[in-house]
């Protein structure tokens, strides 16, 4: 991805009070806890097994990002059933984490 | 800096909950404000009358009851999870404060740790 | 990259290599953070993450050697790397000093990793801009 | 427990086609899988974290056993919300496993 | 002796699913009848087009497609789980047979292994 | 006990000590099985269970030493005890021979545990009356 999209990522992050980073697969109790604490103004980043939520569906009004390499590994694309998901790379994840007020690793 | 440490792992079957509580105790030992929140199956750490000696493990109940003495600000428990496991305050170690798990809860803390 | 103000990260790893994806994701994150001009104050291994400090892990020859990748990165970037001593001892990770104290005839903590207490993590919580946790997934 | 109750355990086991041994806490995906494969003529043994199901409730018509030391560790008794649960010790678990046609460890 | 090996762990985030599949391959290598069943998040092992090289892991897709050659009797998948993850047979590696997970399924095997 | 016909068990342990309850439950089961006159053909460590074979685990002084309890039990009962070699190597458990092969200067597999392949488990599947699995709970 281009440097400008990294800057965009950081710009978006600065609007989010909390950056929630989730690595648990759908159905895991931690997923429910994460969603229960997710404010509409927060952002959720799906990494590792959590990207499978794009296939099973995810009910939130918060901004949702998904880590591209984890999507590719699992044969998924951003449009796999879920709309409005922004695919990011590690550089953009760093920018989001650096720009957020607070991060929670679920 | 005030930290919320969340425990959502069940007692005794794994050490994960203990290692989370060790983190909370460590923050308290260094005079950092810290609060514990028990959620999901994790609320079972709070049940009064545990006897882990029956499976040759150490009790944590007394440590939890003494949390304020160790410098831990509060023992919060998710109200819904308490109900799910048939627990009310009278069946818990003393000092447990039921709360609703919602976005505003996290906003009260500078940092959230959930192993 | 100028849009992002440089910050300092502490990375806590709680999942073991070849058991969870945690050390891999953490390394990709760490490399990207350094490339973007951010600082990494400390890498702290906790829980099962302490196995990343093992000197005796023999990776399958057709897989990436995550122990070596991490050791090289830490050495190149001169990042303080700590494994929680309590987590390590109960999981069979001992350094030279602990091996003597517990009267074991071998040790298996790979420098530059050092065994230290949770106080190191508390220090990170008070001094790093961000503390991120790289954990096991839903494997167990 | 007395030796006769051990013999009873074995006698019960011989009526069960499959002895399901579950150690996962309520809410774990494995719990659902175990219950989905549990026949009314099977038996379910709750051990370790799975005994917490006595507090949260368990919907099955199969025979349910729970390991006493694990109940005691967690401050639970057999009558904790769930009826008809038979509390066993390790000796009776051995007898059940030895007497069953087949065991599955979930 | 016919063995059912169940994989209900998700791919790549943990090695548990791989270690279950290694057990199935090992039984097959010693000429023991074995069947694999994918359930829950485990069905995602079956999705066609996986590229684990993107996270520096080994692909299992080709091994699964070649399961009959290795002596594995069948690749079963829980129909409901496939639907939960938006998968139909055309999006899976070849040879996947959807089944309903119910008590009668286990009765077809002498042993069931679910790590 | 006469109501139960003696059978033979293989116990597979897939959870690590001081991380999961698996090795504890397995030992209580094993002791009860032997007391009841049943045979234990083999103990097989797989996945994270291989850590039970570590010679370097330093248990907290106020907790039961599960490594010693298991080693003593296996030695007394003369039960063949195997750790899966593939699981072990990737988790940093090596015996004398593997240490030489992989050019490591230490080894940490505690006899009587031996490193062998999954074929040992297959053998149990064909010859033991019952194969039971003692696994991690929902910890991760």
């Amino acid at each position: 991805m281009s440097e400008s999209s990294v800057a965009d990522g950081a710009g978006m992050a600065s609007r989010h009070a909390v950056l929630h980073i989730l690595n648990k697969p759908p159905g895991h109790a931690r997923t429910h806890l994460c969603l229960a604490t997710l404010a509409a103004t927060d952002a959720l980043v799906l990494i590792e097994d959590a990207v499978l939520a794009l296939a099973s569906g995810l009910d939130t009004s918060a901004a949702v990002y998904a880590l591209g390499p984890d999507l590719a590994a699992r044969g998924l694309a951003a449009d796999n059933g879920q709309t409005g998901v922004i695919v990011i790379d590690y550089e953009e994840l760093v920018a989001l984490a650096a720009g957020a007020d607070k991060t929670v690793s679920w | 800096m005030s930290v919320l440490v969340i425990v959502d792992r069940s007692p005794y079957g794994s050490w994960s909950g203990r290692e989370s509580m060790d983190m909370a105790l460590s923050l308290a030992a260094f005079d950092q404000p810290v609060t514990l929140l028990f959620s999901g199956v994790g609320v079972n750490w709070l049940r009064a009358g545990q006897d882990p000696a029956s499976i040759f493990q150490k009790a944590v109940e007394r440590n939890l009851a003494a949390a304020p003495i160790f410098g831990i600000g509060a023992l919060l428990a998710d109200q819904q999870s308490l109900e799910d496991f048939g627990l009310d305050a009278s069946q818990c170690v003393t000092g447990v404060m039921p709360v609703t798990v919602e976005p505003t809860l996290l906003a009260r803390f500078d940092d959230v740790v959930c192993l | 990259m100028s849009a992002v103000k440089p910050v300092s990260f502490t990375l806590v790893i709680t999942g073991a290599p070849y058991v969870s994806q945690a050390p891999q994701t953490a390394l990709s994150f760490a490399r990207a953070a350094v490339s973007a001009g951010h600082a990494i104050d400390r890498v702290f291994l906790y829980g099962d993450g302490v196995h990343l400090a093992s000197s005796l892990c023999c990776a399958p020859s057709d897989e990436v050697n995550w122990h070596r990748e991490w050791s090289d990165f830490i050495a190149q970037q001169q990042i303080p790397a700590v494994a929680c001593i309590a987590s390590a001892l109960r999981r069979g990770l001992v350094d030279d000093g602990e091996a003597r104290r517990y009267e074991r005839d071998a040790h298996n903590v790979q420098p530059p990793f050092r065994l230290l207490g949770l106080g190191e993590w508390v220090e990170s919580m008070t001094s790093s801009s961000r503390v991120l946790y790289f954990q096991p997934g839903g494997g167990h």
Side-chain angles (χ1 to χ4, degrees), chain A residues 15-18 20 35 37-44 60-64, chain B residues 103:
Chain A
R15 297 201 318 270
H16 306 307
V18 183
H20 298 256
L35 292 175
T37 59
L38 188 65
T41 50
D42 289 346
L44 172 64
T60 177
S61 52
V64 179

Side-chain angles (χ1 to χ4, degrees), chain C residues 41-45 74 78-83 112-116:
Chain C
D41 290 331
R42 182 180 279 119
V43 171
F44 188 80
L45 309 183
I74 284 167
Q78 300 188 291
I79 298 167
V82 173
F113 283 104
R114 291 177 303 151
L115 299 185
L116 290 168

Side-chain angles (χ1 to χ4, degrees), chain A residues 3 6-8 10-11 21 23-25 28 30 47-49 67 70 74 90-91 93-106, chain C residues 1-5 7 9 21-26 28-36 38 130-140:
Chain A
E3 296 227 334
V6 174
D8 287 343
I21 304 173
N23 79 334
K24 305 296 185 294
H28 194 285
R30 188 64 65 83
I47 69 169
E48 301 179 352
D49 290 343
L67 198 50
D70 283 319
R74 290 155 183 87
Y90 294 104
E91 283 69 27
L93 176 58
V94 166
L96 284 166
D101 290 343
K102 186 156 76 184
T103 65
V104 184
S105 307
W106 296 104
Chain C
M1 284 305 174
S2 56
V4 186
K5 194 176 138 203
V7 301
F9 288 107
Q21 203 186 329
Q24 305 172 226
T25 302
S28 294
F29 184 94
R31 285 177 170 150
V34 168
S35 295
H38 300 298
R130 302 277 180 283
V131 181
L132 295 182
Y133 299 80
F134 295 88
Q135 309 179 338
H140 291 311

